[in-house]
Amino acid sequence: MNDFGQSKHGFQELCLQYQPQAARPAAGHEYTPSSPVERLRAQVCSDHELSFLMEAHDGLSARIAARSGFKGLWASGFSIASSLGFRDANEASWSQLVESIERIVDSTELPVLVDGDGGFGNFNNARLLARKLRQVGAAGVSLEDSCFPKLNSLVGERHQLADIDEFSGRLRAVKDVVGDTFILIARVEALIAGHGLNEAIVRAHAYADAGADAILIHSRKSSANEVLSFAAEWSNRIPVVIVPTTYYRTPVSAYRDARISTVIWANHSMRAAAAAMRRVCDSIAAQESVAGIESHISPLTEIFDLLRYDELAASEKRYLQSR
């Protein structure tokens, strides 16, 4: 048993410990979080309900995720880079990432957890990124223990990990800047780099000590065995977040049984959009007509509805004086 114990009571106390004072419920009263940061914290610090974050890479994908009923968003670095025409190898700059996040935040009231890669450099770059993300309204950031420039975790075989102490310094620098006003998740890439469970556990403990609110354990295997073994060994010292992109066949019940806190569907809206656009473009190019694809794409009325053109029409009647 670790220092925090394995009991449900101990885990709940830990979640409360990581909440700002204003977010803690008074005795005998159920607390309903209101701010995006509090709502995201309620999801990643839950030990009784598995939460899900849906990928968004722009304002439209964020609105669609909200319409589908998701309660939080994952602003995917891979998806945002892809939508900008870049590879997920820090080719998009941190300022381009922040601009994309601002558009996502402006489009919905859902809390946004940002994929911040490794922080775009050392401790100074990481804390600057976190401060800017907080300024544009993001609720939290996930930082991975990779070296700059990073490479997408599912590409290639060579993934150099940052020194544990150096990355812990990045996390402490971010925490010193944002405190409890921003969620900080430490993403452990040890399994991706082939270093095994023991290395992943050692790194996770160091990052928890450095102030991380949760641990994102990543794996490229086609089964969930690695992450489930990590969860069993970790015993919920702090919450565990997973990204089942490659082990998508695992039933969600396995994550609930393992007391995983949050599942991130990390890139599926972008991939769905790419597939649909390819089919439509191929059809139009081959047929030299749009008649055959009209029934396979969203009607204009759906886009008008998603972007609330009705509100604009109502506001015109209220604010524009007719001549």
Side-chain angles (χ1 to χ4, degrees):
M1 181 178 295
N2 57 46
D3 293 341
F4 290 93
Q6 299 182 18
S7 69
K8 179 178 179 180
H9 175 74
F11 185 70
Q12 289 173 331
E13 290 298 318
L14 177 62
C15 288
L16 291 179
Q17 173 186 332
Y18 279 89
Q19 292 180 355
Q21 291 292 333
R24 301 186 183 186
H29 295 279
E30 184 177 353
Y31 177 77
T32 301
S34 55
S35 76
V37 175
E38 291 171 353
R39 282 182 277 133
L40 182 62
R41 192 181 299 279
Q43 293 182 62
V44 301
C45 267
S46 174
D47 70 332
H48 62 276
E49 183 177 356
L50 183 66
S51 62
F52 300 91
L53 300 183
M54 185 62 195
E55 173 260 312
H57 53 276
D58 58 14
L60 183 60
S61 58
R63 283 183 179 267
I64 292 172
R67 173 71 63 89
S68 295
F70 285 97
K71 304 302 182 184
L73 299 176
W74 167 253
S76 163
F78 170 48
S79 295
I80 290 172
S82 298
S83 71
L84 296 175
F86 292 116
R87 290 166 291 200
D88 187 22
N90 285 139
E91 290 184 347
S93 69
W94 70 265
S95 59
Q96 288 173 309
L97 173 66
V98 171
E99 290 172 359
S100 297
I101 301 307
E102 186 171 17
R103 292 185 177 91
I104 292 172
V105 170
D106 284 347
S107 70
T108 177
E109 295 182 354
L110 296 182
V112 179
L113 174 63
V114 179
D115 177 6
D117 293 336
F120 291 82
N122 65 8
F123 77 94
N124 192 42
N125 305 87
R127 67 182 179 181
L128 174 62
L129 175 66
R131 186 166 64 246
K132 292 298 184 181
L133 290 173
R134 184 179 60 172
Q135 287 175 359
V136 299
V141 67
S142 171
L143 297 180
E144 64 186 62
D145 53 356
S146 61
C147 297
F148 183 84
K150 62 82 57 84
L151 180 63
N152 183 280
S153 301
L154 306 181
V155 175
E157 300 296 331
R158 299 184 62 182
H159 292 273
Q160 184 179 357
L161 299 183
D163 175 79
I164 293 177
D165 291 336
E166 186 276 326
F167 185 70
S168 296
R170 284 187 235 172
L171 298 176
R172 289 196 303 272
V174 169
K175 264 301 179 182
D176 286 345
V177 167
V178 300
D180 284 333
T181 66
F182 204 62
I183 307 301
L184 175 60
I185 295 180
R187 173 168 156 177
V188 177
E189 293 283 284
L191 301 180
I192 294 290
H195 291 295
L197 180 60
N198 290 339
E199 178 71 11
I201 291 292
V202 168
R203 286 177 173 267
H205 278 291
Y207 305 157
D209 290 341
D213 296 297
I215 295 294
L216 192 162
I217 184 66
H218 204 17
S219 171
R220 61 194 297 172
K221 301 293 186 182
S222 59
S223 77
N225 291 342
E226 279 190 331
V227 297
L228 295 177
S229 295
F230 176 90
E233 181 73 20
W234 183 244
S235 298
N236 272 326
R237 176 182 174 184
I238 60 176
V240 174
V241 179
I242 62 171
V243 185
T245 299
T246 56
Y247 48 96
Y248 55 85
R249 293 183 179 87
T250 304
V252 170
S253 59
Y255 309 142
R256 289 193 170 96
D257 292 342
R259 293 178 63 200
I260 300 295
S261 172
T262 304
V263 170
I264 294 174
W265 308 121
N267 45 52
H268 297 80
S269 285
M270 182 274 294
R271 290 163 57 197
M277 286 188 288
R278 185 187 68 248
R279 288 194 297 269
V280 167
C281 288
D282 287 348
S283 176
I284 294 175
Q287 301 297 323
E288 297 184 338
S289 169
V290 297
I293 56 90
E294 190 65 28
S295 62
H296 300 289
I297 61 177
S298 296
L300 287 173
T301 53
E302 181 178 344
I303 305 303
F304 295 155
D305 185 44
L306 275 170
L307 298 178
R308 298 198 59 205
Y309 278 66
D310 57 339
E311 187 278 332
L312 178 60
S315 295
E316 285 180 343
K317 292 181 179 179
R318 180 176 181 181
Y319 299 119
L320 285 181
Q321 301 297 320
S322 60
R323 294 185 179 181

